[in-house]
Amino acid sequence: MTDYEKLANLIFPDINLTIDDLEKRYPKRDLKEGAIVDRFAPSPTGFLHSGSLFTALVGYKFALQTGGVFMLRLEDTDTKREIEGSGEKLLTEMKEFGVVPMEGYFGTYEEGSYGPYCQSDRALIYNTVIKDMIRRGLAYPCFCSHEDLDALRKTQEEKKENPGYYGEYAKCSHLIPSEAIKKIENGESYIIRFRSTGNHLNKIHVHDLIKGDLDLSENDQHIVILKSDGLPTYHFAHLCDDHFMRTTIVMRGEEWLSSLPIHYELFNTLGFELPKYAHLPVIMKQDNGKRRKLSKRLDQEAAVSYFLERGYSRDAIVEYLFTLANSNFEEWRLSHMNDNIYDFDFSFEKFNVDGALFDLDKINDISKERLSRLSKEEFTVKALEYANKYDHNLKDLIERDRDYFMSIINIEREKENPRKDYVKFEDVFDFIKFFYKDYYDEILSNGLEFNEKFNKGKIKEVLLTHLCSLDLTQDEQTWFQTMKDTMESLGFAPNKKELRDNPNKYIGTIGDASEIIRVALTGRKSSPNLYYVEKILTNSEIRRRFENVIK
Ligand code: GLU
């Protein structure tokens, strides 16, 4: 037995598996040519970030489109930052946007033959690989204390050298195995480092599917692969996981690009085939004319819960993320407005290379558009689903009388160019509450704001005249004509031009008259089409409201 083997056995006495065993246990996947195997690998350290949803969505879409696999792996090795329950929360939030893993971590259970899918359950795999590395001299125990490392940093700063544990500075890499064995037997604490053979003056050449060809400085850092708590670091865990889970493309945020040389060396050293990499653009925000990263701390919309709690169309958020992903998507969408967006094929070539700008106005527009295109039944089901969780007032309105609710939200819906009244379900309650007697009475008791140009007498005259001539069996055009005729007799011109041409004859336009009616009926200066509002309210309620206003 060599000294390296003795050292490996001393550190991992219970590990009897070999890398070969693992290779057999996790065989290459039998998938059709071109099928992409991707994983979404969040850390359970909080909420689902909008940028992470983007990453997950892109991986999911590519897997779907190529007949591949999209798996969820929980990277829970940073126990200090872990937040209880956030793994399940991340999963739930992804699912809300239709991004459902095909394999991996599902909260209370796992699915798939490449698990375990939580890193904290994969110690056997990591330790097997590390034991093999120590045996081959590719990794070694490092006994440097925090103080040693601080002193090293200072020396390097003084000498203006690159910081880190590398080359000559990698003190413990120079220990021969028998010295390391002695230290361990003496009870000295240690971590495990990777023995890099790189030189940062050399370049490596890698191709990123989004960023293109890259020349990066070779890694020379003897990075930590196993921490003192017995858990692996991200770099090392990702090597083992993506290799034995047979990931074909690692899609992850651009912030990992700078670590790529480390990963490149790790894969090569172990003789594992390097997966393909696609580093996705960071989501940016325009702030006071400057671009910056969408920030957990500064931007509420950085958490996907922002959109869920406000009742945005979840399809719209997904659609928006499609526009961020591929530059040719929007054009496709224009000619496929009612199609399933998943019919659009993603390609890496069409990715935005620079930071993608997160534009809330655009999200609002898309959400408005999507909500307007729902049938009244779909809208009601989704609104109720939202209301059940987040909006008791809205829930109450829908449950009072579902048909009445549907008739309200169906105003000028289900047609070629539907009305776009709602950006999100959060807007619905305030927008429609005037249709309900109790809420209307509350609005009225707070006072109505009519145009000050018209005195009380005129307002009363308008309301009574309208009421007398009102016939809701008329079609919209006839109804409007009747209104124009009757209002003209009260001094309201049928249009702006007439008023301009005859300033002495008229006191306002039909627009002013209908505003008076609208304010009296709804408490607001803008509302959906008055004709439909009146039809829904019916004659008796209109009369009741007018009488109360006049009172
Ligand atoms: N756990 C890492 C993160 O949350 C994953 C990066 C990766 O996808 O490889 O950023």
Side-chain angles (χ1 to χ4, degrees):
M1 192 187 288
T2 66
D3 281 357
Y4 282 116
E5 279 167 337
K6 278 187 201 150
L7 179 61
N9 284 339
L10 179 65
I11 296 177
F12 295 108
D14 301 327
I15 297 289
N16 301 312
L17 280 180
T18 63
I19 290 189
D20 265 354
D21 295 329
L22 294 176
E23 295 287 0
K24 285 191 199 110
R25 183 142 148 195
Y26 302 109
K28 282 224 162 119
R29 292 170 187 263
D30 187 18
L31 292 169
K32 69 169 204 230
E33 177 85 20
I36 290 175
V37 180
D38 173 59
R39 82 298 184 283
F40 176 52
S43 300
T45 52
F47 55 79
L48 185 61
H49 191 282
S50 300
S52 306
L53 177 63
F54 177 59
T55 307
L57 176 69
V58 170
Y60 174 62
K61 174 72 174 84
F62 270 114
L64 270 186
Q65 163 182 323
T66 59
V69 177
F70 170 72
M71 59 187 152
L72 180 58
R73 175 170 82 221
L74 203 64
E75 305 215 323
D76 56 348
T77 58
D78 193 346
T79 42
K80 277 191 223 104
R81 288 177 53 230
E82 181 157 348
I83 295 174
E84 177 88 22
S86 65
E88 282 171 51
K89 186 157 186 266
L90 291 167
L91 178 72
T92 315
E93 290 183 333
M94 282 167 66
K95 286 190 189 161
E96 297 250 28
F97 292 92
V99 181
V100 185
M102 302 160 187
E103 178 180 315
Y105 167 84
F106 284 90
T108 48
Y109 65 99
E110 296 198 334
E111 231 171 74
S113 354
Y114 290 83
Y117 293 91
C118 287
Q119 288 185 330
S120 56
D121 296 329
R122 295 172 65 78
L124 182 63
I125 298 169
Y126 305 132
N127 292 345
T128 300
V129 177
I130 297 181
K131 182 170 187 181
D132 188 78
M133 290 171 78
I134 296 175
R135 200 178 50 75
R136 291 154 68 195
L138 306 175
Y140 61 88
C142 169
F143 303 90
C144 289
S145 62
H146 287 302
E147 293 73 33
D148 293 334
L149 297 177
D150 280 346
L152 173 63
R153 198 172 309 125
K154 280 205 191 97
T155 314
Q156 288 167 335
E157 265 169 28
E158 277 160 22
K159 292 188 174 172
K160 298 205 172 11
E161 302 236 31
N162 286 339
Y165 207 80
Y166 60 93
E168 276 308 296
Y169 293 121
K171 200 171 88 187
C172 294
S173 71
H174 305 301
L175 293 173
I176 55 171
S178 58
E179 290 170 319
I181 289 172
K182 207 172 281 158
K183 281 174 173 288
I184 293 174
E185 284 173 346
N186 283 340
E188 285 190 41
S189 61
Y190 59 91
I191 48 150
I192 308 286
R193 286 186 188 270
F194 166 60
R195 190 187 300 279
S196 169
T197 56
N199 177 342
H200 80 276
L201 297 175
N202 296 339
K203 292 280 181 219
I204 57 166
H205 180 76
V206 271
H207 180 76
D208 183 272
L209 290 166
I210 294 175
K211 303 273 162 194
D213 288 325
L214 303 167
D215 284 316
L216 304 168
S217 291
E218 202 169 78
N219 173 58
D220 60 359
Q221 298 286 333
H222 292 215
I223 59 145
V224 178
I225 56 177
L226 198 69
K227 298 178 288 181
S228 55
D229 58 7
L231 291 169
T233 53
Y234 166 74
H235 302 301
F236 179 71
H238 135 80
L239 161 90
C240 298
D241 297 344
D242 285 324
H243 179 67
F244 291 115
M245 289 179 179
R246 307 299 175 181
T247 304
T248 62
I249 304 186
V250 171
M251 296 181 214
R252 60 183 178 189
E254 189 172 38
E255 65 271 22
W256 293 105
L257 196 59
S258 57
S259 308
L260 194 51
I262 301 175
H263 305 150
Y264 180 89
E265 192 185 4
L266 282 171
F267 274 93
N268 283 340
T269 304
L270 276 147
F272 293 168
E273 187 185 339
L274 190 74
K276 292 198 173 93
Y277 284 91
H279 286 92
L280 302 178
V282 169
I283 306 273
M284 311 287 279
K285 170 162 175 148
Q286 194 85 20
D287 186 8
N288 274 327
K290 282 205 193 102
R291 277 179 160 219
R292 62 165 173 78
K293 246 172 106 167
L294 190 65
S295 134
K296 276 192 194 186
R297 205 167 39 82
L298 301 173
D299 311 309
Q300 283 182 298
E301 71 272 29
V304 300
S305 52
Y306 174 89
F307 300 101
L308 296 174
E309 285 160 13
R310 286 162 183 73
Y312 274 84
S313 153
R314 285 169 284 171
D315 293 340
I317 302 300
V318 171
E319 176 165 337
Y320 177 67
L321 295 177
F322 269 51
T323 67
L324 284 191
N326 265 202
S327 55
N328 53 337
F329 170 72
E330 273 180 273
E331 201 189 315
W332 178 90
R333 187 50 162 167
L334 285 177
S335 50
H336 297 82
M337 272 317 247
N338 290 317
D339 291 359
N340 183 341
I341 55 171
Y342 278 87
D343 291 345
F344 173 81
D345 270 351
F346 270 4
S347 65
F348 286 110
E349 295 74 41
K350 295 288 184 191
F351 251 85
N352 286 310
V353 179
D354 299 323
L357 209 54
F358 205 66
D359 181 349
L360 214 46
D361 291 339
K362 196 155 168 185
I363 294 180
N364 288 342
D365 284 347
I366 301 178
S367 186
K368 216 190 245 182
E369 175 76 43
R370 283 298 120 201
L371 292 187
S372 79
R373 280 173 190 269
L374 297 175
S375 71
K376 64 176 189 290
E377 284 84 9
E378 287 166 334
F379 186 96
T380 306
V381 168
K382 285 178 193 257
L384 186 57
E385 199 188 314
Y386 164 77
N388 273 330
K389 270 198 199 153
Y390 302 106
D391 192 339
H392 296 307
N393 290 329
L394 180 60
K395 177 176 151 73
D396 164 56
L397 290 193
I398 301 173
E399 285 177 348
R400 275 188 202 182
D401 183 342
R402 212 174 160 114
D403 287 336
Y404 188 63
F405 176 80
M406 276 204 269
S407 64
I408 296 170
I409 55 94
N410 202 36
I411 294 178
E412 295 181 291
R413 176 178 296 277
E414 299 186 1
K415 52 190 262 206
E416 171 114 356
N417 266 319
R419 276 185 73 91
K420 299 188 180 84
D421 286 323
Y422 317 103
V423 168
K424 45 198 177 340
F425 289 116
E426 187 188 44
D427 305 339
V428 177
F429 173 74
D430 268 339
F431 195 77
I432 69 164
K433 67 179 182 194
F434 71 82
F435 279 101
Y436 296 81
K437 284 185 185 164
D438 49 343
Y439 285 111
Y440 172 78
D441 291 346
E442 197 182 300
I443 295 169
L444 184 62
S445 68
N446 289 331
L448 302 181
E449 264 183 55
F450 290 100
N451 187 339
E452 284 169 6
K453 243 175 36 192
F454 307 107
N455 63 28
K456 285 186 182 162
K458 197 77 214 170
I459 291 170
K460 183 171 167 183
E461 208 181 354
V462 168
L463 298 183
L464 291 178
T465 308
H466 180 59
L467 194 61
C468 288
S469 62
L470 187 62
D471 176 2
L472 289 171
T473 60
Q474 287 175 333
D475 63 28
E476 189 182 350
Q477 239 182 336
T478 321
W479 167 89
F480 190 48
Q481 194 52 53
T482 310
M483 193 150 110
K484 277 200 214 162
D485 295 344
T486 48
M487 291 304 143
E488 187 163 11
S489 67
L490 300 184
F492 293 95
N495 54 51
K496 284 194 180 135
K497 185 175 179 302
E498 286 289 324
L499 174 66
R500 237 182 289 123
D501 295 348
N502 306 285
N504 296 327
K505 184 172 165 199
Y506 296 116
I507 54 166
T509 65
I510 181 68
D512 295 316
S514 31
E515 186 185 286
I516 293 173
I517 298 168
R518 192 185 303 273
V519 170
L521 285 180
T522 71
R524 292 203 316 241
K525 294 207 164 105
S526 66
S527 78
N529 185 324
L530 198 53
Y531 171 70
Y532 295 104
V533 170
E534 292 197 333
K535 275 187 89 92
I536 289 174
L537 290 176
T538 71
N539 268 63
S540 60
E541 176 63 7
I542 297 170
R543 174 180 301 275
R544 191 187 77 89
R545 292 189 181 191
F546 282 178
E547 281 169 358
N548 284 339
V549 172
I550 290 167
K551 252 193 249 160

